[in-house]
Amino acid sequence: MSEVLSGSQCPLLNSRAEWVAAASIAAGAAALGYLAYKAILCKDKASKAMVNPNIQKDNPKVVHAFDMEDLGDKAVYCRCWRSKQFPLCDGSHTKHNEETGDNVGPLIIKRKEA
């Protein structure tokens, strides 16, 4: 009673069109799975994107140092890397925040009142 079915006798996929349809569905499911994986699980690559778009790109590291005595009563420093007066803030973070949905603001250093 054991009978071997040939490809043309397979009860699930009888025609070439059914094989093509099954392969198309499998390929579509694989593509959707891959896109879901990239969107959900691979977010760490987005955090590795460059922050500094154009400031001192010829230097391996951008560093600025100031003496506390030279700051005066108040200093406002850029943290969004978009300021035309970098390292000082010029308010460019406002436009950056509107365009990206970010919430970055300046670093404000004030002399303590005595």
Side-chain angles (χ1 to χ4, degrees):
M1 286 221 176
S2 67
E3 194 176 297
V4 177
L5 296 175
S6 68
S8 62
Q9 295 174 334
C10 180
L12 296 177
L13 300 173
N14 289 328
S15 71
R16 183 173 210 198
E18 289 174 340
W19 277 101
V20 170
S24 297
I25 290 172
L32 284 175
Y34 175 76
L35 292 174
Y37 165 77
K38 292 295 277 183
I40 296 170
L41 298 176
C42 290
K43 290 185 179 182
D44 60 325
K45 288 188 179 181
S47 66
K48 293 180 184 177
M50 275 194 202
V51 175
N52 177 4
N54 57 8
I55 297 169
Q56 296 182 12
K57 295 305 278 185
D58 54 330
N59 290 339
K61 187 189 301 186
V62 178
V63 177
H64 294 94
F66 297 91
D67 291 328
M68 294 298 291
E69 295 80 22
D70 298 337
L71 293 179
D73 291 333
K74 180 179 172 183
V76 183
Y77 292 98
C78 175
R79 293 192 305 167
C80 73
W81 292 87
R82 305 308 189 261
S83 175
K84 301 282 189 251
Q85 300 173 3
F86 193 88
L88 301 175
C89 177
D90 67 358
S92 294
H93 58 272
T94 303
K95 181 180 177 188
H96 166 77
N97 290 345
E98 289 171 358
E99 291 174 351
T100 64
D102 204 350
N103 66 348
V104 70
L107 168 65
I108 301 173
I109 300 174
K110 293 192 261 183
R111 188 174 301 276
K112 242 185 193 182
E113 296 178 17

